[in-house]
Amino acid sequence: MSRTNAPHLELSRRHHHRPARGLESTQGRQNTVPCLAGVGKSDLTDFAQDVTAQVLPWYEDYFGHRYNYQKLDQVAVPGFDAGAMENVGAIFYRQSLLLMKVGATSWGAQKRIAEVIAHELAHQWFGNLVTMKWWDDLWLNEAFATWIANKAVDVWKPDWRMWDDYLEAKESALVADALVNTHPVYTPVKTPAEATELFDVITYEKGCAVLRMCESYLGDATFRKGIKAYMAELKNKNAAGADLWRHLGDASGEPVGELMSSWVVQEGFPLISVSMVDDKHLRIKQRRFYSEAAAMKRESSQTWTIPMVIRFGGPTGKQATHRHLLRQAEEIIELPAAAQWVHANADASGFYRVEMDTATLSALLRKGLPHLMPSERMTLIEDQWALVRNGRGTIGNFLNTLSALRGDSDHIVSRSIASRLGGIYNSMVSDAEASRFAALVRWFFGPQMRHSVWRWRRASTNRRGCAAPRSYTRWASWVATPPF
């Protein structure tokens, strides 16, 4: 673009030396990060500067290395084709991913902008300070930035529940990777042009999920120790994925190279089948998961090295987690204490589906649900639905799972239930059955709707002395009487 046609930019500068909320930096220095935007838009950079003020010092502390370059500008570029680009010292953004009006932007949009800024800032270390040797490790560059961006924003704003939002992106990756025609995370690349084909949900979301699964198994402190050692050795140099696995393995004493290779070199992901042998032993099997029933009926010898974190609860009501590295197609594992129920994907951090026999699932639904996190309850729904879709599960087990979660007021759980009921309605319910299905939906969501209407009425009366609008009244009438 010629100088005469270049857009005019206004500079907005803020010193962000105030202490970061929930984030700490050991570097003890002040940073100045200008934001540049079109004329009249500089007042839309406040939020971006606030995100930067919180995240940048935290990265310096996490990586154990100060920001490496002499300056850093963030530029909102009109008509920018890419979402953002992590140029050294001058990060370019699409305007909608950097600029926002505080108080007039949705919660979801705020989180998206914060995640994108954190993603691009992360590349100043992971991508720029340490750069991949060749384009076939592009996945690691992008997956790591996706993972640590969610982590950084989650530390800053834990009430935003970034990892719960990420579950939807992870589900997209699970759906894509369950196809017969998928591809590995790591793909050999001959030319830079071929690298552009790798910007997909497998590269970003599966790659991010695998890194999160690895961190969950190794532990936050151990994983961070390996990252710091990696940065210290390879700063201002080129590196490959094997270099990172080596440092994580040295920090943890675990076979990280073997683990990560099984997840990024081969395509697909496993179905883990869990059954309780007795109160201290689990039988765990693995095989490849497909979304197609015909593919699931074929024999599969494919296995993974799976870093499992299992949540379980005993007769006293106390719950705990147990880490196990599953290497064989079938293993019997011993829990450290007696268990009445188990959930084989603690924190929903594993990139796999879980199948339970009827007794194990029933025990979890009767005794374990109050102890599960919203992310774990949502994952339980999604796994049961995926098993119905490919013929491994029954609609009865799925509906029993939904029934056990009736009245769950958490938004990600309710959204998952609504989505799956919508899928059943669209694919299975005839016109003659529609009224009965509507009664079922009313039964599921009646408790939430009654509570929501009550809260709205109380808040509205307290603020303005007005009643709920007619649409809310109709909803309250619709859900007032359960069909059973």
Side-chain angles (χ1 to χ4, degrees):
M1 181 180 293
S2 69
R3 182 180 179 86
T4 55
N5 291 329
H8 294 289
L9 297 175
E10 288 184 342
L11 174 64
S12 177
R13 183 185 299 267
R14 176 188 294 178
H15 294 273
H16 52 80
H17 56 272
R18 66 186 185 281
R21 296 187 294 274
L23 305 174
E24 297 179 354
S25 172
T26 60
Q27 304 303 326
R29 72 183 179 97
Q30 297 181 5
N31 296 309
T32 302
V33 179
C35 277
L36 293 91
V39 174
K41 297 180 179 179
S42 62
D43 61 334
L44 302 180
T45 65
D46 287 351
F47 180 73
Q49 291 175 328
D50 195 36
V51 174
T52 306
Q54 311 304 320
V55 171
L56 189 62
W58 186 78
Y59 281 158
E60 292 184 318
D61 188 62
Y62 187 91
F63 290 119
H65 195 284
R66 292 174 58 173
Y67 176 72
N68 197 54
Y69 308 104
Q70 293 180 350
K71 63 102 173 176
L72 175 59
D73 298 329
Q74 298 191 100
V75 186
V77 180
F80 191 54
D81 182 54
M85 187 63 211
E86 65 272 15
N87 310 294
V88 169
I91 304 174
F92 287 3
Y93 296 87
R94 187 180 300 167
Q95 291 186 109
S96 61
L97 295 177
L98 185 69
L99 308 179
M100 61 159 273
K101 185 175 180 62
V102 177
T105 304
S106 72
W107 187 39
Q110 288 185 55
K111 290 193 283 187
R112 173 61 176 157
I113 291 170
E115 188 272 330
V116 170
I117 292 171
H119 182 111
E120 302 308 319
L121 290 173
H123 277 313
Q124 301 302 311
W125 283 266
F126 214 99
N128 293 347
L129 180 61
V130 179
T131 305
M132 59 190 178
K133 287 183 178 179
W134 186 240
W135 293 99
D136 48 14
D137 270 323
L138 172 68
W139 81 268
L140 182 56
N141 195 44
E142 296 302 334
F144 186 92
T146 301
W147 167 77
I148 202 168
N150 279 287
K151 184 179 180 71
V153 178
D154 187 61
V155 172
W156 172 40
K157 295 281 193 181
D159 57 313
W160 282 6
R161 296 170 56 181
M162 294 295 293
W163 287 117
D164 286 351
D165 283 356
Y166 173 74
L167 286 178
E168 292 191 357
K170 175 187 161 186
E171 279 296 321
S172 298
L174 286 166
V175 169
D177 210 30
L179 299 175
V180 174
N181 297 317
T182 182
H183 67 83
V185 173
Y186 176 87
T187 303
V189 171
K190 295 180 180 179
T191 67
E194 291 182 4
T196 60
E197 300 175 7
L198 303 181
F199 285 92
D200 65 3
V201 70
I202 301 297
T203 299
Y204 281 83
E205 311 306 348
K206 180 181 179 179
C208 171
V210 170
L211 288 171
R212 186 181 181 223
M213 179 171 60
C214 182
E215 186 215 23
S216 179
Y217 178 76
L218 299 181
D220 176 79
T222 299
F223 194 87
R224 183 178 180 181
K225 180 181 178 182
I227 294 296
K228 283 188 172 181
Y230 171 83
M231 286 287 166
E233 179 188 335
L234 295 164
K235 61 186 177 184
N236 297 312
K237 297 178 183 177
N238 295 100
D243 296 308
L244 180 57
W245 315 150
R246 171 170 54 85
H247 281 290
L248 291 173
D250 291 345
S252 64
E254 296 282 353
V256 177
E258 171 197 331
L259 186 163
M260 294 301 295
S261 178
S262 78
W263 285 91
V264 304
V265 174
Q266 61 178 338
E267 62 189 24
F269 63 89
L271 168 67
I272 295 179
S273 300
V274 181
S275 60
M276 297 184 70
V277 179
D278 54 44
D279 62 356
K280 288 200 68 175
H281 296 87
L282 303 178
R283 175 176 284 106
I284 302 182
K285 302 178 182 179
Q286 63 161 304
R287 59 151 295 159
R288 183 168 173 179
F289 181 90
Y290 291 100
S291 57
E292 296 180 10
M296 284 300 297
K297 292 177 182 178
R298 296 197 293 264
E299 292 294 325
S300 173
S301 60
Q302 193 173 350
T303 60
W304 287 257
T305 301
I306 307 174
M308 298 182 64
V309 183
I310 302 167
R311 191 181 303 283
F312 67 95
T316 64
K318 184 178 180 180
Q319 60 168 314
T321 56
H322 175 65
R323 286 169 168 76
H324 178 75
L325 195 64
L326 184 69
R327 284 169 150 159
Q328 306 302 319
E330 180 176 349
E331 296 181 17
I332 300 290
I333 70 169
E334 182 176 0
L335 297 173
Q340 290 189 325
W341 58 267
V342 296
H343 180 69
N345 193 356
D347 296 330
S349 60
F351 192 79
Y352 47 76
R353 299 288 189 192
V354 176
E355 174 186 60
M356 290 170 273
D357 64 9
T358 301
T360 304
L361 176 61
S362 177
L364 176 61
L365 296 180
R366 286 185 291 107
K367 301 176 182 179
L369 280 187
H371 305 284
L372 298 187
M373 300 172 62
S375 58
E376 294 166 339
R377 302 197 299 272
M378 174 188 167
T379 299
L380 178 62
I381 296 169
E382 297 301 326
D383 286 354
Q384 289 297 311
W385 178 244
L387 291 167
V388 171
R389 293 290 301 272
N390 74 357
R392 291 279 297 197
T394 67
I395 193 68
N397 278 346
F398 174 70
L399 290 176
N400 286 340
T401 301
L402 292 194
S403 297
L405 289 163
R406 176 180 179 253
D408 195 312
S409 60
D410 191 88
H411 70 279
I412 67 168
V413 180
S414 296
R415 188 165 61 223
S416 179
I417 293 173
S419 177
R420 298 310 150 214
L421 288 175
I424 292 174
Y425 178 77
N426 290 330
S427 60
M428 302 180 187
V429 178
S430 66
D431 290 343
E433 298 168 322
S435 61
R436 293 179 60 196
F437 189 79
L440 178 66
V441 173
R442 289 197 296 272
W443 181 76
F444 268 117
F445 291 106
Q448 295 98 312
M449 288 306 305
R450 284 192 292 270
H451 182 62
S452 296
V453 171
W454 176 81
R455 285 197 307 170
W456 194 95
R457 279 179 165 166
R458 187 176 70 166
S460 298
T461 301
N462 288 343
R463 292 174 186 172
R464 294 180 296 275
C466 61
R470 188 173 303 171
S471 59
Y472 278 86
T473 304
R474 284 199 298 267
W475 268 108
S477 174
W478 189 60
V479 302
T481 306
F484 309 123

